[in-house]
């Protein structure tokens, strides 16, 4: 029996422009989270009610305007993140965190599946003291629930800067559904997410 280990690093892509996203609502808040490869996280949050946009990018590092290739080395200190613009009248930050815990394993240090390195760490970059408090409570609740077996290693740190990833990373799964990593990893995760949160009535 043979096994194929797939990582998002270095996968081939289509490079068509990403679709424009509507940003008409002025009363938006932002969440910036890291939970492994941003292709998976973006695809799922894009389906949630109250989410106006999801942008893949980089946060938590020390280099200005990092490129994907630089971030992949692990030397810039950045994590692959998504920045979510959401309407708090429709979806709360706590609900976003519920989806965040569902989407990735917060007990694995600097790793999600075969994606290994500090760029794949679990992190919440809070935009306010209120978000910080909610993140701490949410993590404690999830950890005590036994949702994941083990001690959570998620960083809860202040948001400083967000650098948008290259255009070809935006709406990646939608544009590249048959790419090997998307078929093997992102697709099944999206299907599981859709079933769980669809039953809760939280999807568009």
């Amino acid at each position: 029996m043979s096994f194929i280990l797939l990582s998002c690093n270095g996968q081939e892509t289509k490079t068509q422009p990403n679709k424009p996203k509507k940003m008409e609502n002025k009363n938006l808040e932002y969440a910036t989270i890291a939970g492994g490869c941003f292709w998976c996280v973006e695809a799922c949050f894009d389906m949630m009610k109250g989410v106006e946009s999801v942008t893949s990018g980089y946060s938590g590092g020390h280099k200005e305007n990092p490129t994907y290739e630089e971030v992949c080395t692990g030397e810039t200190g950045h994590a692959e993140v998504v920045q979510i613009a959401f309407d708090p009248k429709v979806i709360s930050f706590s609900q976003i965190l519920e989806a965040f815990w569902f989407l990735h394993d917060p007990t694995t240090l600097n790793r999600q599946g075969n994606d290994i390195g500090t760029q794949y760490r679990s992190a919440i970059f809070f935009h306010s003291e209120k978000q910080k408090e909610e993140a701490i409570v949410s993590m404690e609740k999830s950890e005590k629930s036994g949702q994941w077996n083990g001690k959570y290693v998620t960083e809860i740190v202040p948001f400083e800067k967000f650098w948008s990833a290259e255009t070809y990373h935006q709406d990646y799964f939608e544009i590249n559904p048959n790419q090997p990593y998307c078929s093997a990893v992102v697709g099944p995760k999206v299907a599981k997410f859709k079933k769980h949160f669809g039953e809760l009535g939280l999807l568009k």
Side-chain angles (χ1 to χ4, degrees):
M1 183 181 293
S2 61
F3 297 89
I4 300 175
L5 299 179
L6 288 176
S7 167
C8 67
N9 191 359
Q11 292 282 314
E12 293 183 1
T13 67
K14 294 180 181 178
T15 55
Q16 66 192 71
N18 56 302
K19 64 186 178 184
K21 296 184 177 181
K22 296 180 181 179
M23 295 292 288
E24 298 171 359
N25 189 339
K26 304 295 184 181
N27 300 311
L28 299 178
E29 293 183 10
Y30 293 86
T32 304
I33 54 178
C37 177
F38 47 26
W39 301 339
C40 299
V41 184
E42 180 203 47
C44 291
F45 276 104
D46 248 341
M47 297 187 291
M48 298 196 79
K49 288 181 180 178
V51 170
E52 296 281 331
S53 70
V54 187
T55 306
S56 292
Y58 317 110
S59 285
H62 52 77
K63 187 181 187 302
E64 301 283 299
N65 294 303
T67 65
Y68 179 64
E69 289 73 19
E70 289 171 334
V71 172
C72 282
T73 68
E75 295 177 0
T76 71
H78 292 88
E80 288 194 12
V81 304
V82 295
Q83 188 163 89
I84 302 162
F86 65 98
D87 184 346
K89 293 181 180 179
V90 180
I91 187 171
S92 68
F93 183 62
S94 292
Q95 287 175 313
I96 285 174
L97 293 180
E98 287 177 21
F100 173 67
W101 303 125
F102 182 87
L103 271 173
H104 81 297
D105 184 349
T107 70
T108 54
L109 184 64
N110 300 328
R111 177 173 186 163
Q112 289 297 310
N114 295 317
D115 295 323
I116 302 171
T118 56
Q119 67 270 32
Y120 300 116
R121 65 187 182 271
S122 174
I124 300 167
F125 297 89
F126 58 85
H127 289 251
S128 66
E129 284 301 308
K130 182 174 181 290
Q131 281 196 357
K132 177 183 178 180
E133 293 169 4
E134 290 184 21
I136 292 171
V137 170
S138 180
M139 184 167 75
E140 290 176 349
K141 180 181 177 181
S142 180
E143 190 173 33
K144 288 178 181 177
S145 74
Q147 183 175 5
W148 294 94
N149 185 26
K151 178 72 175 175
Y152 284 19
V153 295
T154 305
E155 298 177 357
I156 299 177
V157 294
F159 171 79
E160 293 182 355
K161 288 186 178 180
F162 171 78
W163 306 98
S164 180
E166 294 81 351
T167 300
Y168 71 87
H169 286 299
Q170 311 303 332
D171 299 309
Y172 190 88
F173 177 67
E174 180 180 346
I175 297 170
N176 301 276
N178 298 317
Q179 185 254 34
Y181 183 87
C182 287
S183 297
V185 179
V186 186
K189 185 171 287 193
V190 167
K192 183 179 178 182
F193 185 89
K194 187 180 294 185
K195 182 177 186 300
H196 181 79
F197 286 92
E199 290 174 354
L200 295 177
L202 293 175
L203 301 186
K204 295 173 182 175

Short mmCIF file of all heavy atoms in Angstrom, two decimals, residues 112-149:
data_model
loop_
_atom_site.label_atom_id
_atom_site.label_comp_id
_atom_site.label_asym_id
_atom_site.label_seq_id
_atom_site.Cartn_x
_atom_site.Cartn_y
_atom_site.Cartn_z
N GLN A 112 -0.60 21.58 11.10
CA GLN A 112 -1.93 21.11 10.80
C GLN A 112 -1.78 20.03 9.74
O GLN A 112 -1.43 20.31 8.60
CB GLN A 112 -2.84 22.23 10.29
CG GLN A 112 -3.24 23.24 11.35
CD GLN A 112 -4.05 22.64 12.47
OE1 GLN A 112 -5.04 21.93 12.24
NE2 GLN A 112 -3.65 22.90 13.71
N GLY A 113 -1.99 18.78 10.13
CA GLY A 113 -1.81 17.68 9.19
C GLY A 113 -0.38 17.61 8.69
O GLY A 113 0.56 17.58 9.48
N ASN A 114 -0.23 17.61 7.37
CA ASN A 114 1.10 17.56 6.77
C ASN A 114 1.71 18.94 6.54
O ASN A 114 2.81 19.04 5.99
CB ASN A 114 1.06 16.80 5.44
CG ASN A 114 0.69 15.34 5.64
OD1 ASN A 114 1.18 14.70 6.56
ND2 ASN A 114 -0.20 14.82 4.81
N ASP A 115 0.99 19.99 6.94
CA ASP A 115 1.52 21.35 6.84
C ASP A 115 2.25 21.67 8.13
O ASP A 115 1.63 21.82 9.19
CB ASP A 115 0.38 22.36 6.60
CG ASP A 115 -0.30 22.13 5.26
OD1 ASP A 115 0.40 21.80 4.30
OD2 ASP A 115 -1.53 22.28 5.19
N ILE A 116 3.56 21.75 8.06
CA ILE A 116 4.40 21.88 9.25
C ILE A 116 5.24 23.14 9.18
O ILE A 116 5.83 23.46 8.16
CB ILE A 116 5.32 20.65 9.40
CG1 ILE A 116 4.47 19.36 9.47
CG2 ILE A 116 6.19 20.76 10.65
CD1 ILE A 116 5.29 18.09 9.41
N GLY A 117 5.29 23.88 10.30
CA GLY A 117 6.09 25.09 10.39
C GLY A 117 5.35 26.15 11.17
O GLY A 117 4.12 26.08 11.34
N THR A 118 6.08 27.15 11.64
CA THR A 118 5.44 28.21 12.43
C THR A 118 4.40 28.99 11.64
O THR A 118 3.49 29.59 12.22
CB THR A 118 6.49 29.19 12.97
OG1 THR A 118 7.25 29.72 11.86
CG2 THR A 118 7.45 28.50 13.94
N GLN A 119 4.51 28.98 10.32
CA GLN A 119 3.52 29.67 9.49
C GLN A 119 2.15 29.01 9.55
O GLN A 119 1.15 29.59 9.14
CB GLN A 119 4.01 29.79 8.04
CG GLN A 119 4.11 28.48 7.27
CD GLN A 119 5.47 27.82 7.39
OE1 GLN A 119 6.13 27.94 8.41
NE2 GLN A 119 5.88 27.12 6.34
N TYR A 120 2.09 27.77 10.06
CA TYR A 120 0.82 27.05 10.17
C TYR A 120 0.34 26.97 11.62
O TYR A 120 -0.50 26.14 11.96
CB TYR A 120 0.98 25.64 9.59
CG TYR A 120 1.38 25.64 8.15
CD1 TYR A 120 2.60 25.10 7.74
CD2 TYR A 120 0.54 26.18 7.17
CE1 TYR A 120 2.98 25.11 6.40
CE2 TYR A 120 0.92 26.20 5.83
CZ TYR A 120 2.14 25.65 5.46
OH TYR A 120 2.51 25.65 4.13
N ARG A 121 0.85 27.83 12.48
CA ARG A 121 0.47 27.80 13.89
C ARG A 121 -0.98 28.24 14.09
O ARG A 121 -1.57 28.90 13.23
CB ARG A 121 1.40 28.68 14.72
CG ARG A 121 1.35 30.19 14.43
CD ARG A 121 2.46 30.88 15.22
NE ARG A 121 2.49 32.34 15.06
CZ ARG A 121 3.17 32.97 14.11
NH1 ARG A 121 3.83 32.28 13.18
NH2 ARG A 121 3.18 34.30 14.07
N SER A 122 -1.49 27.89 15.24
CA SER A 122 -2.84 28.29 15.63
C SER A 122 -2.75 29.60 16.39
O SER A 122 -2.01 29.70 17.38
CB SER A 122 -3.46 27.20 16.53
OG SER A 122 -4.71 27.60 17.03
N ALA A 123 -3.51 30.61 15.95
CA ALA A 123 -3.41 31.92 16.60
C ALA A 123 -4.68 32.75 16.39
O ALA A 123 -5.35 32.63 15.36
CB ALA A 123 -2.21 32.69 16.08
N ILE A 124 -4.97 33.57 17.38
CA ILE A 124 -6.03 34.57 17.30
C ILE A 124 -5.36 35.92 17.52
O ILE A 124 -4.76 36.15 18.57
CB ILE A 124 -7.12 34.34 18.36
CG1 ILE A 124 -7.77 32.97 18.18
CG2 ILE A 124 -8.18 35.45 18.29
CD1 ILE A 124 -8.64 32.54 19.36
N PHE A 125 -5.45 36.79 16.55
CA PHE A 125 -4.88 38.14 16.64
C PHE A 125 -6.03 39.09 16.99
O PHE A 125 -6.79 39.51 16.12
CB PHE A 125 -4.21 38.53 15.33
CG PHE A 125 -3.05 37.64 14.95
CD1 PHE A 125 -3.24 36.50 14.19
CD2 PHE A 125 -1.76 37.94 15.38
CE1 PHE A 125 -2.18 35.67 13.85
CE2 PHE A 125 -0.68 37.13 15.05
CZ PHE A 125 -0.89 35.98 14.28
N PHE A 126 -6.17 39.41 18.27
CA PHE A 126 -7.34 40.18 18.69
C PHE A 126 -7.20 41.66 18.34
O PHE A 126 -6.13 42.25 18.42
CB PHE A 126 -7.61 39.99 20.18
CG PHE A 126 -6.49 40.38 21.12
CD1 PHE A 126 -6.32 41.70 21.53
CD2 PHE A 126 -5.60 39.43 21.60
CE1 PHE A 126 -5.31 42.07 22.40
CE2 PHE A 126 -4.58 39.78 22.48
CZ PHE A 126 -4.43 41.10 22.88
N HIS A 127 -8.34 42.26 17.93
CA HIS A 127 -8.40 43.65 17.51
C HIS A 127 -8.84 44.59 18.62
O HIS A 127 -8.86 45.81 18.42
CB HIS A 127 -9.35 43.80 16.31
CG HIS A 127 -8.81 43.22 15.04
ND1 HIS A 127 -8.39 44.00 13.98
CD2 HIS A 127 -8.61 41.94 14.66
CE1 HIS A 127 -7.98 43.22 13.00
NE2 HIS A 127 -8.10 41.96 13.38
N SER A 128 -9.24 44.03 19.75
CA SER A 128 -9.70 44.85 20.88
C SER A 128 -9.59 44.03 22.15
O SER A 128 -9.45 42.81 22.11
CB SER A 128 -11.16 45.28 20.66
OG SER A 128 -12.01 44.14 20.69
N GLU A 129 -9.69 44.72 23.29
CA GLU A 129 -9.68 44.01 24.57
C GLU A 129 -10.90 43.11 24.69
O GLU A 129 -10.82 42.02 25.28
CB GLU A 129 -9.64 45.01 25.72
CG GLU A 129 -8.27 45.64 25.94
CD GLU A 129 -7.19 44.60 26.23
OE1 GLU A 129 -7.40 43.77 27.15
OE2 GLU A 129 -6.15 44.61 25.55
N LYS A 130 -12.00 43.53 24.12
CA LYS A 130 -13.22 42.70 24.14
C LYS A 130 -12.98 41.40 23.38
O LYS A 130 -13.35 40.32 23.85
CB LYS A 130 -14.38 43.47 23.52
CG LYS A 130 -15.71 42.73 23.54
CD LYS A 130 -16.83 43.64 23.05
CE LYS A 130 -18.18 42.93 23.08
NZ LYS A 130 -18.31 41.87 22.08
N GLN A 131 -12.35 41.48 22.22
CA GLN A 131 -12.03 40.26 21.47
C GLN A 131 -11.06 39.38 22.25
O GLN A 131 -11.19 38.15 22.25
CB GLN A 131 -11.43 40.61 20.10
CG GLN A 131 -12.44 41.01 19.05
CD GLN A 131 -11.87 40.96 17.64
OE1 GLN A 131 -10.69 40.68 17.44
NE2 GLN A 131 -12.71 41.24 16.67
N LYS A 132 -10.10 39.99 22.92
CA LYS A 132 -9.15 39.22 23.72
C LYS A 132 -9.87 38.42 24.80
O LYS A 132 -9.63 37.21 24.97
CB LYS A 132 -8.13 40.15 24.37
CG LYS A 132 -7.12 39.44 25.27
CD LYS A 132 -6.18 40.44 25.94
CE LYS A 132 -5.21 39.75 26.88
NZ LYS A 132 -4.29 40.72 27.55
N GLU A 133 -10.76 39.10 25.53
CA GLU A 133 -11.50 38.43 26.60
C GLU A 133 -12.37 37.31 26.04
O GLU A 133 -12.43 36.21 26.62
CB GLU A 133 -12.35 39.46 27.34
CG GLU A 133 -11.54 40.48 28.12
CD GLU A 133 -12.37 41.64 28.63
OE1 GLU A 133 -13.61 41.59 28.44
OE2 GLU A 133 -11.80 42.58 29.22
N GLU A 134 -13.04 37.57 24.92
CA GLU A 134 -13.91 36.56 24.33
C GLU A 134 -13.09 35.37 23.82
O GLU A 134 -13.52 34.22 23.92
CB GLU A 134 -14.73 37.16 23.19
CG GLU A 134 -15.79 38.13 23.66
CD GLU A 134 -16.66 38.64 22.53
OE1 GLU A 134 -16.72 37.98 21.47
OE2 GLU A 134 -17.28 39.70 22.69
N ALA A 135 -11.90 35.64 23.30
CA ALA A 135 -11.05 34.57 22.80
C ALA A 135 -10.58 33.66 23.94
O ALA A 135 -10.57 32.43 23.82
CB ALA A 135 -9.84 35.16 22.07
N ILE A 136 -10.21 34.25 25.06
CA ILE A 136 -9.76 33.48 26.22
C ILE A 136 -10.89 32.59 26.74
O ILE A 136 -10.71 31.39 26.99
CB ILE A 136 -9.25 34.41 27.33
CG1 ILE A 136 -7.95 35.09 26.88
CG2 ILE A 136 -9.02 33.64 28.62
CD1 ILE A 136 -7.48 36.20 27.82
N VAL A 137 -12.08 33.18 26.88
CA VAL A 137 -13.24 32.42 27.36
C VAL A 137 -13.59 31.30 26.38
O VAL A 137 -13.86 30.17 26.79
CB VAL A 137 -14.45 33.36 27.56
CG1 VAL A 137 -15.72 32.56 27.81
CG2 VAL A 137 -14.19 34.32 28.71
N SER A 138 -13.59 31.62 25.10
CA SER A 138 -13.94 30.64 24.09
C SER A 138 -12.96 29.48 24.07
O SER A 138 -13.36 28.31 23.96
CB SER A 138 -13.99 31.32 22.71
OG SER A 138 -14.32 30.39 21.71
N MET A 139 -11.67 29.78 24.17
CA MET A 139 -10.66 28.71 24.17
C MET A 139 -10.81 27.82 25.40
O MET A 139 -10.74 26.58 25.29
CB MET A 139 -9.25 29.29 24.10
CG MET A 139 -8.18 28.22 23.99
SD MET A 139 -6.53 28.84 23.54
CE MET A 139 -6.03 29.57 25.09
N GLU A 140 -11.02 28.42 26.56
CA GLU A 140 -11.18 27.64 27.78
C GLU A 140 -12.41 26.73 27.68
O GLU A 140 -12.37 25.56 28.08
CB GLU A 140 -11.31 28.56 28.98
CG GLU A 140 -10.01 29.28 29.33
CD GLU A 140 -10.17 30.28 30.47
OE1 GLU A 140 -11.34 30.56 30.85
OE2 GLU A 140 -9.15 30.76 30.99
N LYS A 141 -13.48 27.27 27.12
CA LYS A 141 -14.72 26.50 26.97
C LYS A 141 -14.52 25.33 26.03
O LYS A 141 -14.93 24.19 26.32
CB LYS A 141 -15.83 27.41 26.45
CG LYS A 141 -17.17 26.71 26.25
CD LYS A 141 -18.21 27.69 25.71
CE LYS A 141 -19.53 26.98 25.44
NZ LYS A 141 -20.55 27.92 24.88
N SER A 142 -13.86 25.58 24.89
CA SER A 142 -13.63 24.52 23.92
C SER A 142 -12.70 23.45 24.48
O SER A 142 -12.93 22.25 24.32
CB SER A 142 -13.04 25.12 22.63
OG SER A 142 -12.80 24.10 21.67
N GLU A 143 -11.66 23.89 25.17
CA GLU A 143 -10.69 22.94 25.73
C GLU A 143 -11.35 22.06 26.79
O GLU A 143 -11.13 20.84 26.82
CB GLU A 143 -9.51 23.70 26.32
CG GLU A 143 -8.34 22.83 26.71
CD GLU A 143 -7.12 23.66 27.14
OE1 GLU A 143 -7.33 24.75 27.71
OE2 GLU A 143 -6.00 23.22 26.89
N LYS A 144 -12.17 22.64 27.65
CA LYS A 144 -12.84 21.88 28.71
C LYS A 144 -13.89 20.93 28.14
O LYS A 144 -14.20 19.90 28.76
CB LYS A 144 -13.49 22.84 29.71
CG LYS A 144 -12.49 23.57 30.59
CD LYS A 144 -13.20 24.54 31.53
CE LYS A 144 -12.21 25.28 32.41
NZ LYS A 144 -12.90 26.28 33.29
N SER A 145 -14.43 21.26 26.98
CA SER A 145 -15.49 20.44 26.39
C SER A 145 -14.96 19.11 25.85
O SER A 145 -15.73 18.19 25.59
CB SER A 145 -16.16 21.21 25.24
OG SER A 145 -15.33 21.24 24.09
N GLY A 146 -13.64 19.03 25.66
CA GLY A 146 -13.07 17.82 25.07
C GLY A 146 -13.24 17.76 23.56
O GLY A 146 -13.11 16.70 22.94
N GLN A 147 -13.53 18.91 22.96
CA GLN A 147 -13.70 18.97 21.50
C GLN A 147 -12.47 18.43 20.79
O GLN A 147 -12.56 17.76 19.78
CB GLN A 147 -13.97 20.42 21.07
CG GLN A 147 -14.23 20.60 19.60
CD GLN A 147 -14.61 22.03 19.25
OE1 GLN A 147 -14.62 22.92 20.10
NE2 GLN A 147 -14.96 22.27 17.99
N TRP A 148 -11.31 18.75 21.34
CA TRP A 148 -10.05 18.20 20.86
C TRP A 148 -9.32 17.59 22.06
O TRP A 148 -9.38 18.14 23.16
CB TRP A 148 -9.18 19.29 20.22
CG TRP A 148 -9.77 19.85 18.97
CD1 TRP A 148 -10.55 20.96 18.86
CD2 TRP A 148 -9.64 19.32 17.65
NE1 TRP A 148 -10.91 21.16 17.55
CE2 TRP A 148 -10.37 20.17 16.79
CE3 TRP A 148 -8.97 18.22 17.11
CZ2 TRP A 148 -10.45 19.95 15.42
CZ3 TRP A 148 -9.05 18.00 15.75
CH2 TRP A 148 -9.78 18.85 14.91
N ASN A 149 -8.66 16.49 21.83
CA ASN A 149 -8.01 15.77 22.92
C ASN A 149 -6.60 16.29 23.14
O ASN A 149 -5.69 16.01 22.36
CB ASN A 149 -7.96 14.27 22.60
CG ASN A 149 -7.39 13.46 23.75
OD1 ASN A 149 -7.47 13.88 24.90
ND2 ASN A 149 -6.82 12.31 23.43
#
